[in-house]
């Protein structure tokens, strides 16, 4: 059974960079796509982007200018960096394994428990 | 972006009764070449991450009870829980993966009456 666990700071200052890591256990990070998804308090879900084990990435156009998702196969981990954060980036951040259709669009079959990130000075 | 709209926003159903959640997409998510609907349903229980219940609009994931049924095509979809159990209390989301970026409905909160 694949398990994912997010880690990183729970508080980030405005204008700084949010950095999170997702550790994958119970299976290899190879041969899959790995996504980040966020959920502001009391609101719906927003896909941030994914990374493929070969290093290819795909980002939500609404966040693309601020997002970097990368992979460390040696540690079975992948990471999210979101720059120039504001209060609007306060959310629960989930990592998830993705099933990707030929057009490159994912849905999500395994999720981490999530980590709450608050943007505040 | 494809906008996914769920109805109702919240729903209270008696134990053992049927619950029906609707999801409407702003554009068809039916891919004509393979006749598949690119639509998934998730269940999110309080304090937990979402769990994939159904993909391809009607294919239950392994281990999902058969009281959960997905149906519909094109732009209109339904998640039906045939006989509501206490453990089904959750927020349910639909998601399209037909067009990038993938988008989710706003969620439907299901409670016991």
């Amino acid at each position: 059974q694949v398990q994912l666990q997010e880690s990183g700071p729970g508080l980030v200052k405005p204008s700084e960079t949010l950095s999170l890591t997702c550790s994958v256990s119970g299976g290899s990070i190879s041969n899959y796509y790995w996504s980040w998804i966020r959920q502001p308090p009391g609101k719906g879900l927003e896909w941030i982007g994914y990374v493929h084990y070969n290093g290819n990435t795909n980002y939500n156009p609404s966040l693309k200018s601020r997002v970097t998702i990368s992979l460390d196969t040696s540690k079975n981990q992948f990471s999210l960096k979101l720059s120039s954060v504001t209060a609007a980036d306060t959310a629960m951040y989930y990592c998830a394994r993705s099933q990707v259709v030929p057009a490159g669009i994912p849905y999500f079959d395994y999720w981490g428990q999530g980590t709450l990130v608050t943007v505040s000075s | 972006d494809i906008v996914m709209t769920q109805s109702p926003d919240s729903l209270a159903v008696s134990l053992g009764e049927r619950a029906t959640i609707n999801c409407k997409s702003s554009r068809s998510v039916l891919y004509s070449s393979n006749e598949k609907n690119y639509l998934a349903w998730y269940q999110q229980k309080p304090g937990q991450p979402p769990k994939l219940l159904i993909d391809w609009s009607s294919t239950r994931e392994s281990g999902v009870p058969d009281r959960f049924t997905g149906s519909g095509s094109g732009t209109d979809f339904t998640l039906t829980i045939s006989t509501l159990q206490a453990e089904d209390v959750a927020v349910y989301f639909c998601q399209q993966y037909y067009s990038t970026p993938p988008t989710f409905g706003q969620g439907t909160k299901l409670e016991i009456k």
Side-chain angles (χ1 to χ4, degrees), chain A residues 1 109-110, chain B residues 51-55 59-65:
Chain A
Q1 179 83 350
D109 58 357
Y110 288 96
Chain B
K51 172 189 174 183
L52 178 64
L53 292 178
I54 287 170
D55 54 20
T59 303
R60 269 190 302 271
E61 294 300 293
S62 175
V64 174

Side-chain angles (χ1 to χ4, degrees), chain B residues 9-68:
Chain B
D9 289 334
S10 62
L11 180 63
V13 175
S14 300
L15 289 173
E17 297 299 305
R18 177 186 301 258
T20 301
I21 298 169
N22 301 301
C23 174
K24 188 174 184 67
S25 58
S26 60
R27 282 187 278 139
S28 175
V29 299
L30 173 63
Y31 195 41
S32 56
S33 67
N34 60 11
E35 289 297 307
K36 287 189 170 185
N37 288 285
Y38 286 45
L39 190 286
W41 287 98
Y42 300 86
Q43 175 193 63
Q44 185 175 28
K45 295 183 178 180
Q48 295 186 20
K51 172 189 174 183
L52 178 64
L53 292 178
I54 287 170
D55 54 20
W56 305 110
S57 73
S58 61
T59 303
R60 269 190 302 271
E61 294 300 293
S62 175
V64 174
D66 61 6
R67 64 180 180 273
F68 290 91

Side-chain angles (χ1 to χ4, degrees), chain A residues 37 39 43-47 58-62 94 99 101-114, chain B residues 1 38 40 42 44 47-52 54-56 61 93 95-106:
Chain A
I37 300 148
Q39 186 174 30
K43 296 188 178 180
L45 295 154
E46 180 181 34
W47 173 72
N58 187 11
Y59 301 136
N60 191 321
S62 68
Y94 296 101
Q99 298 292 336
V101 300
I105 305 154
Y107 63 98
F108 314 101
D109 58 357
Y110 288 96
W111 297 63
Q113 286 295 313
Chain B
D1 298 3
Y38 286 45
Y42 300 86
Q44 185 175 28
Q48 295 186 20
K51 172 189 174 183
L52 178 64
I54 287 170
D55 54 20
W56 305 110
E61 294 300 293
F93 295 93
Q95 179 229 326
Q96 66 81 18
Y97 47 100
Y98 178 88
S99 170
T100 197
T103 48
F104 295 84
Q106 80 278 15

